[in-house]
Amino acid sequence: AHCVWDARAAGSNPVTPTGRGGSLIGLRLVSIRKQLDHAPRPGVRTFTPRWRTSPLTAERMERLLPEAQVPEGPLDPAAAFGRRAPLVVEIGSGHGAAAIAYAAAHPEHDLLALEVHVPGVARMLAAAEVAGVTNVRVHRGDALPFLDERVAAGSVSAVHLFFPDPWPKKKHAKRRFVQQHTLDLLLRLLDEDGVLRIATDHDVYAEHVLEQVAAHGGWSVHSTSRPTWRPTDGFEAKGLRAGRTITDLTLVALRPVG
């Protein structure tokens, strides 16, 4: 892996992506972080609503969701999965190709898929049934309130954010999932060795992630190879057909030493 930026380069002081440190730059980064911190507010979604359902979707949800969905209230992974295992959370799982592939390749892990769109959830549950994958659970709803209100600190081994809505226009940057407040949230939820894996086919989103991480100061970011277990499907396949470059990034939390 190639390290793009590491806040440890300047000890306890924030640094810019070029590695320069110092109090004036630190103050400037505090100001930059405030500018970049698009805190959530009513009406600002990180996803595009799509509410249509079909009879097939309704049948799948009625038959498969009760057993696959996590119980209401604070998340208890042992109760939800029937065992204790490393927990991986995928944000915006779509129709579940990556979630199912990861769960199949890592039977020793449990995967919780967070997806707001009902047709995607229904298709994922049907595919999991066909594949015989039993270590996948789902929450059908907005990921942010679920993560903020129902997931305990330090309880997650990894977070996957694959091909999120890029919101490519600058005026829509506030809708991109990676923001200062979401980096704070995920930093709290991940365990000591936890990582955040991001994949995108839009250069503007990759640049946005690097900018947010540089301003945050709590993560190192690494350019990584595409994982062999992830299928070339959905938005990744669409991006490749359009001639776009796939960027895979791994963010590692910078924990205090000692």
Side-chain angles (χ1 to χ4, degrees):
H2 173 64
C3 184
V4 178
W5 177 79
D6 190 334
R8 272 192 281 245
S12 61
N13 293 325
V15 298
T16 65
T18 57
R20 293 174 294 171
S23 59
L24 290 178
I25 291 176
L27 290 172
R28 187 172 67 185
L29 284 178
V30 170
S31 176
I32 291 172
R33 177 170 179 176
K34 288 181 179 178
Q35 295 174 33
L36 293 176
D37 191 11
H38 302 294
R41 60 183 187 272
V44 177
R45 296 189 180 99
T46 61
F47 57 89
T48 303
R50 295 187 293 273
W51 308 124
R52 290 180 297 177
T53 60
S54 67
L56 177 60
T57 293
E59 184 276 328
R60 287 171 168 173
M61 293 293 282
E62 182 179 359
R63 182 170 59 86
L64 299 173
L65 185 62
E67 187 173 340
Q69 68 182 347
V70 294
E72 292 295 326
L75 177 65
D76 181 350
F81 290 90
R83 65 174 183 174
R84 297 189 181 278
L87 176 65
V88 177
V89 175
E90 182 170 339
I91 299 171
S93 52
H95 58 75
I100 293 169
Y102 183 89
H106 302 84
E108 73 282 9
H109 294 175
D110 290 332
L111 188 136
L112 174 58
L114 309 179
E115 176 57 50
V116 71
H117 296 120
V118 172
V121 172
R123 185 175 170 185
M124 174 173 58
L125 295 177
E129 181 182 44
V130 171
V133 171
T134 60
N135 55 332
V136 173
R137 298 292 183 272
V138 65
H139 167 70
R140 207 296 296 170
D142 192 349
L144 276 177
F146 181 90
L147 293 170
D148 187 38
E149 299 167 9
R150 297 178 58 184
V151 181
S155 64
V156 178
S157 294
V159 174
H160 293 172
L161 183 66
F162 295 147
F163 304 95
D165 195 325
W167 296 102
K169 294 181 180 179
K170 187 175 182 180
K171 67 179 181 179
H172 291 151
K174 62 182 177 293
R175 298 185 182 275
R176 297 170 190 159
F177 184 86
V178 176
Q179 306 287 347
Q180 297 298 293
H181 66 93
T182 54
L183 291 174
D184 285 341
L185 172 61
L186 298 181
L187 195 64
R188 172 168 62 86
L189 299 183
L190 287 169
D191 64 23
E192 189 175 63
D193 299 315
V195 297
L196 167 59
R197 301 184 179 105
I198 301 174
T200 181
D201 60 320
H202 284 264
D203 290 344
V204 67
Y205 200 93
E207 292 164 4
H208 171 82
V209 171
L210 296 178
E211 181 182 36
Q212 290 286 337
V213 170
H216 188 275
W219 303 81
S220 64
V221 57
H222 308 258
S223 178
T224 52
S225 301
R226 182 185 180 282
T228 56
W229 54 262
R230 193 177 72 216
T232 304
D233 202 350
F235 288 112
E236 183 166 6
K238 184 177 179 180
L240 291 171
R241 287 195 300 269
R244 293 193 291 269
T245 300
I246 307 300
T247 300
D248 276 274
L249 300 171
T250 297
L251 278 60
V252 180
L254 299 176
R255 307 294 187 185
V257 178

